[in-house]
Every structure is written in C-alpha cells, then in structure tokens.
C-alpha cells in the first residue's frame, strides 16, 4: 500500500461518519453481501459514504491490508472498523448498530 | 477432497467445535457474473465453539478467515459466518 493510499483511507474513514467499501454502489450494488450491508445501514437511516471497490484494483488490495480483513463489504463507523455484512446484520438484530449511530444525522432511507 | 470437506477439516483441527453446519449455497449464485461455476464457491457457515468466548465479532471472524485463508484466496467466493459460543447458541 502506498503512503498516499494509506493517507487517503485514513482520512476517508475519519472525515465520513459511515463509510462502506463495497462492490458496486448503495444504489446499484453488485454483490448480495454488499447489497445487504447497504440495506442495513439504510434501515438505520444514516448517510452512507459508499465507495465502489470494483473501480480500482489498487484500492481493493489496499483495503484488505488496511482493514486486515480479506472480504468485502467493509464498513467503518466514526473511524472504527466494524466488519462486513454478517456483523452489520448481527449488530442490527441486537440493536447495537442503532445505538452506535444514535447521535449521527439521519437521512430519509433510500427506497 | 471437496472444498466443503477441507473447510470442515481445517476448522475441526484448529478449534474445539461443538457445532458446525456448512451450507453450500453455490447453486443460488450459478450464472452470476462473478460466479466461478464450480459448484463450491458460496457457503454459509454456522460455527459454535467455546474458543470464541471473550472474543469480539471481528476477532471471531478474523480467526476463521485466518484458518481458511488458503480457501478464501482460491475456491471460496463468498462465506457468510454465524459464529457463536455455546452459551449464545
């Protein structure tokens, strides 16, 4: 991972409350797991900064190292690595996710 | 040995497994653009082990990802995980 890429990712997860590195976009996901992760985040009403990792091999490979996580999607909330779609779904079902995003500004969920 | 057998063997060798349910759901994804069409690419795994006690969700998944690193770089395209301790199961 280049120092520039590391800086980009560090800033991106710091400057955005909710970041989802995914296959496709929240509007047009290209993978079932990415779709599910986006849906869970939309269900709790937060604004998603979605980044399509299919746009760049460099980005995709860098993220595996940056997050120390081999799969996508990868979600960050308030700068903290949360995990992928299984973890987001579990946290949503347990109500933990709702608590974590309680103070964040809400948007109307995308239909 | 099939991919499913390898997954099960590796997990059982490394962990004290109380329950292991591996569902091959590859047929749901046959014909997708990114599906390799091997019939052994997409799995759902439910794993119960006391080895996960005191570990966060991220730590649990990382442990499984490490054990299956070779498969995740090769034949496995997608792996959905439900990892529990016996008390949670």
């Amino acid at each position: 991972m280049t120092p520039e890429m590391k800086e980009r990712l560090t800033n991106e997860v710091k400057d955005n409350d909710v970041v989802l590195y995914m296959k496709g976009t929240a509007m047009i996901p290209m993978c079932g797991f990415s779709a599910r992760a986006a849906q869970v985040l939309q269900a709790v009403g937060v604004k998603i900064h979605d980044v399509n990792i299919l746009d760049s091999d460099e980005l995709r490979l860098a993220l595996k190292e940056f997050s120390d996580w081999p799969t996508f999607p990868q979600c960050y909330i308030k700068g903290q690595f949360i995990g992928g779609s299984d973890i987001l779904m579990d946290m949503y079902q347990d109500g933990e996710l709702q608590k974590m995003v309680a103070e964040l500004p809400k948007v109307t969920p995308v239909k | 040995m099939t991919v499913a057998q390898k997954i099960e063997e590796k997990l059982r060798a490394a962990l004290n497994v109380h329950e292991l349910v591996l569902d091959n759901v590859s047929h749901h994804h046959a014909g997708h653009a990114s599906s390799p069409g091997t019939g052994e690419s997409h799995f759902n795994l439910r794993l119960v082990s006391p080895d996960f006690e005191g570990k966060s969700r991220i730590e649990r998944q990382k442990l499984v990802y490490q054990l299956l690193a070779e498969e995740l770089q090769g034949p496995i395209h997608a792996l959905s995980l439900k990892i529990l301790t016996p008390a949670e199961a």
Side-chain angles (χ1 to χ4, degrees):
Chain A
M1 182 175 10
T2 62
E4 292 78 23
M5 178 60 85
K6 189 169 183 179
E7 193 185 344
R8 174 215 154 151
L9 295 175
T10 304
N11 288 333
E12 196 161 52
V13 302
K14 196 175 66 186
D15 296 343
N16 298 280
D17 290 328
V18 179
V19 183
L20 188 63
Y21 295 101
M22 63 185 291
K23 295 184 177 177
T25 63
M27 290 293 284
I28 308 175
M30 300 295 284
C31 154
F33 294 95
S34 286
R36 198 196 306 165
Q39 279 166 6
V40 169
L41 292 170
Q42 283 162 354
V44 296
V46 291
K47 181 174 185 291
I48 305 169
H49 180 82
D50 51 340
V51 180
N52 184 358
I53 55 115
L54 296 176
D55 284 344
S56 160
D57 263 359
E58 190 201 353
L59 173 65
R60 187 173 55 81
L61 295 172
L63 272 166
K64 291 187 180 196
E65 188 186 334
F66 183 77
S67 305
D68 188 22
W69 199 255
T71 59
F72 292 95
Q74 296 181 0
C75 178
Y76 283 80
I77 297 179
K78 293 187 268 189
Q80 185 194 343
F81 179 61
I82 301 302
S85 61
D86 291 326
I87 290 181
L88 278 174
M89 185 59 96
D90 282 349
M91 288 179 67
Y92 178 66
Q93 281 166 355
D94 290 354
E96 262 179 71
L97 185 63
Q98 290 87 330
K99 270 185 217 157
M100 186 175 273
V101 303
E103 322 99 70
L104 297 182
K106 301 298 186 296
V107 294
T108 310
V110 178
K111 297 285 181 203
Chain B
M1 201 185 298
T2 65
V3 176
Q5 284 168 334
K6 266 189 211 154
I7 293 173
E8 180 155 0
E9 187 183 82
K10 286 195 174 173
L11 294 173
R12 287 194 186 277
L15 300 167
N16 175 6
V17 173
H18 283 207
E19 189 187 333
L20 190 162
V21 182
L22 186 63
D23 255 347
N24 184 344
V25 292
S26 305
H27 56 282
H28 292 166
H29 303 273
H32 284 194
S34 57
S35 177
T38 55
E40 284 206 298
S41 53
H42 294 65
F43 295 92
N44 292 341
L45 173 66
R46 176 184 162 89
L47 188 59
V48 180
S49 166
D51 294 337
F52 298 119
E53 272 160 26
K55 289 191 164 64
S56 72
R57 289 187 170 98
I58 291 180
E59 288 166 340
R60 293 176 188 194
Q61 286 210 10
K62 269 190 185 167
L63 183 53
V64 172
Y65 283 149
Q66 278 159 14
L67 293 173
L68 303 179
E70 202 183 315
E71 282 70 30
L72 281 165
Q73 281 175 10
I76 300 180
H77 173 76
L79 179 65
S80 181
L81 297 169
K82 189 85 183 170
I83 307 174
L84 304 166
T85 64
E88 294 163 351

